[in-house]
Structure formats: structure tokens, C-alpha cells
Amino acid sequence: MVSRNPEIAHLQANYLFVEIGARKKGLLAKNPKADLINLGIGDTTEPIPAVIVEALTKKTKQLGSSTEYTGYGKAIGIQKLREGIAQKMYKNSISADDIFISDGAKPDLGRLQILFGRHSTLAVQDPSYPVYIATSVMTGKTKGYNSDSGQYDAIVYMPCKPENSFCPNLEQLPRTDLIYICSPNNPTGAVLTHQQLKKLVHIAHKNRSLIIFDAAYAGFIRDPSLPRSIYEVEGAEEVAIEVSSFSKLAGFTGVRLGWSVVPRQLHFDDGSSVQQDWIQIVSTFFNSASNIAQAGGLAAISDEGLQQSQILCDYYLDNANILRDAIESAGYTCFGGDNAPYLWTDIKGEKSWELFDRLLHKAHLVTTPGAGFGPTGEGFLRLSAFGKRDQIVEAAQRLKNALSS
Ligand SMILES: *Cc1c(COP(=O)(O)O)cnc(C)c1O
């Protein structure tokens, strides 16, 4: 038999959601009628706006017509969608030629890893979306693996907590090849300011690091002073790749559509073009996003599509408000939720798995323990604002009761 990729055995990335599933099952075995409400999901729950569904349907029908049928498209995506994203999402400050359509931000985060040498080092926010570390490790960036701690010398954790406003202390950051930044952040809900991004871009220039900026939640930013893209900072095109997605913006988590910006100005340390390699990777590992999804994407960036998507995101932000009121009235502090669909609750010194269990058993609520997102996540609980309003209202009441008692 073929030998296993040894790095996958080291990975604990799936541990969090596997463990949550197991504990949920444990409760249901004891109490099969428990009316569980899930505040743990990072998945949309509201239907896709009608104007987008119409476009998806129209494209699907065309595929059934002998005169309108089309097969393979360009691996990098249809030009009209690239141009539309450049115009609507970046006000043409980014060229359509630097935008690459994908089947979502997560698959692109995986494919991006193929760009970088095995000995690349990286810095991640702690807590963070587990995919950054998992994709690095699976592709062999595993220098200095320590089997006791399960950590790697190649990976620098940047603690993000209330004391530093959830922004990494960049002055103290050791140099790494890659710096992963997610803003608005999953799981903390924090959004970095212009000033903070400016500093980040400055450090990347100084250290000759490449930033991977995850903007999957940009559509939730309501404060007009907050940046929605790393490219709002001058000089970012020389040091940053941005991944983004229609998933959370327009309810495309199942449809699958996203994009990455890989500017032509990016170069490896041997002077070669990052974009050229990216085009080669995309053409090899990927054969373009679905033509149906891309037709939906075009509708999503129409004026009406964007307006409807904004209403969709507002719905989740209203959910976040309802949950925040409940948490605060029980005497707890929480962060995020105003420009992101996550609330990050300070649980006053309790262990996050302990509170998880308490809420599961006493209130029949499924949440996400902060410790699952990295060591600095201990002492916090993530609540997702994705969900149906009646369930969120009920969950808020249960939260309030459980946390007050
Ligand atoms: C949901 C999410 C994504 C989006 O993934 P898709 O593959 O586009 O669905 C990307 N990054 C973060 C941090 C996310 O939470």
C-alpha cells in the first residue's frame, strides 16, 4: 500500500468540530428529544436573493439548449465577472487581470499553498480560522514539529485579545515568509482599521513577507471608516494576496463561488512572478468555477444583487444584536458582531469547553469553544449570528437564563 502523508497524521485541525459533534451526540443519546439550537455554525441559513436565483436558473436552462450550451470556460473565470468584481468591489483600483475566479475562498487557500516552498514560514492570528495552519501543514510546511505541543517552529502565533484590540503586535513579530490576516475576523468578529492595515503593509515591505488577506466577511462591514480590502492601503499590491468569496455575502456557501486577487506586482525572492505561477496552478488543479455559479455571481454584483445581499447580511447582523443584548444583560462582555457575523464572548475565566458543556446540557445550545481556534482563544466562546430569527430569539432567551444562573 501507499504510505500516508505523514503531516496529515499530525493535524488536529478537525479535532474541534469532531469533538463538538461527539458531545452533541452524547447529549442526544441521553435526551433524544432535546430541542437543540446551533449557534456554532459558520454557514448561511437565509435563501439567496431572487435576482440571483433567476440568473442561476436562466444559466441552467441554457445548458439544456442545443444552441446555448457551453462547456469548459477559462480556468481563471469569465472576463465579465472579473471586470465586474474589479469595478464593484475594488472601484477599479484593482485590474480585472489580477482577479481570479474560484469555487470559494477555502479551496483557494489550499491551492495557494502550492505557490510556496516547503521551508516557508508563516504567522497566523491566534485565534484563527483553522484552514490557514491545516493547509500549510498538509502541504509540508512543517519545520520543527513538536509532538508534545503539536506546534511547529515554522508557524508563529500572533495573539489577538481585547488588550491589543485583537490586532497582532506587529512590532514584536518575528519575520515570517507569510502573514495570514482575516478581517473581519472569524472567530473574533474584529475588523482591522486603516491605520492597523497600513502598519501591516509597512511591516510586510520591511520584512519582505507576503500577506494572505482573507476578506470573506467584507460584506458585513457597516462602519464606512473601516477598510473592506487590504488594497485600500497604498503599496499593498506589492505584498498581498486577497482571497474573498460570495459565500457569506450572498448565501453562496453551497453554490460555491469566490475570487482571489494575485497582483502582477508580486514577486518571489528569485524575482519571478507570483501571478504567472498562480495562473499555472489554477489551470492545473482547477478548471474554473461552475458556469452556473459564475452567472449567479454576475447577478450578485449587479446593483440590485448587491442591494439584496446587503439586506441579507443586515439580517445576520440584527441576529448578532439580539444575541449581544442577551449576553450583556447576563453580565458578560462580548466583542464583534457589529461588522461581522460572530460574537466573541469573554467568559470570565471559565474554560471554554466547560461553558460549552454547560450550555449544551442546561440550555440545549451548541456553541464553539474559543480554545478550538488556538491557545489565545481559551477563555472565550464564539457565537455565530447565522440562523433563523425565531431560533435566534429563543437561543438568546436561553443564553440569558443559563449565563445569569
Ligand atoms: C466561511 C469562510 C470562508 C469562505 O469559504 P468559501 O470556501 O468561500 O465558502 C473563508 N474564510 C473564512 C475565515 C471563513 O470563515
Side-chain angles (χ1 to χ4, degrees):
M1 259 311 188
V2 64
S3 69
R4 185 181 184 192
N5 175 347
E7 315 310 346
I8 293 183
H10 292 161
L11 266 184
Q12 299 169 331
N14 280 330
Y15 173 79
L16 171 64
F17 292 100
V18 170
E19 181 63 27
I20 289 173
R23 292 189 191 207
K24 207 167 106 181
K25 237 168 124 182
L27 171 80
L28 287 171
K30 266 199 340 206
N31 184 352
K33 291 212 185 81
D35 173 24
L36 285 178
I37 299 180
N38 195 344
L39 295 176
I41 39 171
D43 191 2
T44 48
T45 53
E46 291 307 296
I48 293 171
V51 58
I52 303 173
V53 172
E54 265 169 43
L56 292 167
T57 310
K58 184 173 163 214
K59 183 67 199 176
T60 307
K61 288 206 173 121
Q62 285 174 349
L63 293 179
S65 146
S66 61
T67 52
E68 291 175 299
Y69 171 82
T70 52
Y72 284 130
K74 277 192 185 154
I76 55 177
I78 60 178
Q79 192 59 20
K80 212 169 141 198
L81 183 56
R82 301 170 80 201
E83 284 165 7
I85 290 172
Q87 188 197 341
K88 296 293 184 67
M89 303 302 189
Y90 299 102
K91 300 195 179 73
N92 284 327
S93 68
I94 290 289
S95 156
D97 296 339
D98 294 342
I99 295 171
F100 300 88
I101 309 300
S102 74
D103 54 349
K106 194 201 260 188
D108 258 5
L109 286 163
R111 287 187 288 263
L112 278 168
Q113 287 291 345
I114 305 164
L115 281 170
F116 315 121
R118 268 189 80 93
H119 298 295
S120 308
T121 54
L122 57 141
V124 293
Q125 286 164 292
D126 173 22
S128 79
Y129 184 52
V131 171
Y132 312 136
I133 290 179
T135 53
S136 300
V137 170
M138 283 183 187
T139 53
K141 288 152 197 97
T142 53
K143 213 170 67 186
Y145 176 66
N146 178 327
S147 57
D148 291 332
S149 65
Q151 295 192 356
Y152 302 82
D153 291 345
I155 303 174
V156 172
Y157 287 77
M158 305 183 284
C160 294
K161 43 195 174 182
E163 292 80 359
N164 60 9
S165 313
F166 300 100
C167 177
N169 298 336
L170 295 168
E171 288 87 1
Q172 289 154 29
L173 184 67
R175 188 209 168 266
T176 55
D177 296 311
L178 302 167
I179 305 172
Y180 279 89
I181 295 288
C182 178
S183 176
N185 192 267
N186 177 9
T188 66
V191 187
L192 298 184
T193 63
H194 271 281
Q195 209 51 40
Q196 289 166 334
L197 287 190
K198 227 171 123 175
K199 194 180 262 174
L200 174 70
V201 167
H202 172 75
I203 297 274
H205 272 280
K206 193 176 111 214
N207 287 354
R208 306 187 47 145
S209 302
L210 178 67
I211 299 163
I212 311 244
F213 190 80
D214 186 338
Y217 294 98
F220 290 85
I221 294 179
R222 291 294 170 270
D223 179 344
S225 76
L226 291 171
R228 291 165 166 252
S229 163
I230 186 80
Y231 303 115
E232 291 186 29
V233 174
E234 213 183 301
E237 293 87 348
E238 287 135 35
V239 289
I241 287 173
E242 179 165 297
V243 296
S244 202
S245 173
F246 288 94
S247 281
K248 315 294 165 41
L249 174 68
F252 271 40
T253 50
V255 174
R256 310 302 308 147
L257 191 69
W259 71 90
S260 288
V261 183
V262 183
R264 74 200 68 176
Q265 292 93 330
L266 291 175
H267 292 92
F268 293 107
D269 53 13
D270 70 354
S272 63
S273 158
V274 173
Q275 190 185 78
Q276 284 309 312
D277 284 6
W278 180 240
I279 291 170
Q280 198 171 351
I281 289 168
V282 167
S283 322
T284 306
F285 279 75
F286 186 54
N287 238 341
S288 93
S290 145
N291 47 17
I292 299 169
Q294 292 190 80
L298 271 172
I301 57 166
S302 68
D303 289 341
E304 196 187 345
L306 283 172
Q307 196 188 354
Q308 294 297 318
S309 298
Q310 178 146 351
I311 292 170
L312 201 58
C313 294
D314 284 343
Y315 177 92
Y316 298 123
L317 291 170
D318 288 343
N319 283 351
N321 265 327
I322 293 167
L323 292 171
R324 182 195 291 102
D325 285 348
I327 295 163
E328 289 180 349
S329 69
Y332 283 74
T333 307
C334 70
F335 303 91
D338 36 14
N339 295 285
Y342 297 111
L343 290 162
W344 189 243
T345 304
D346 181 339
I347 57 175
K348 303 201 273 200
E350 194 172 353
K351 289 274 182 243
S352 57
W353 277 110
E354 277 170 29
L355 182 57
F356 171 90
D357 279 335
R358 195 147 69 84
L359 291 172
L360 179 66
H361 289 274
K362 279 180 61 176
H364 295 169
L365 293 174
V366 181
T367 56
T368 317
F373 297 101
T376 305
E378 184 55 281
F380 293 88
L381 194 74
R382 188 192 78 171
L383 299 174
S384 163
F386 292 116
K388 298 274 174 206
R389 181 62 45 82
D390 55 340
Q391 294 239 308
I392 293 287
V393 169
E394 166 68 19
Q397 192 56 46
R398 291 190 201 173
L399 257 181
K400 193 167 152 183
N401 294 341
L403 292 176
S404 305
S405 60

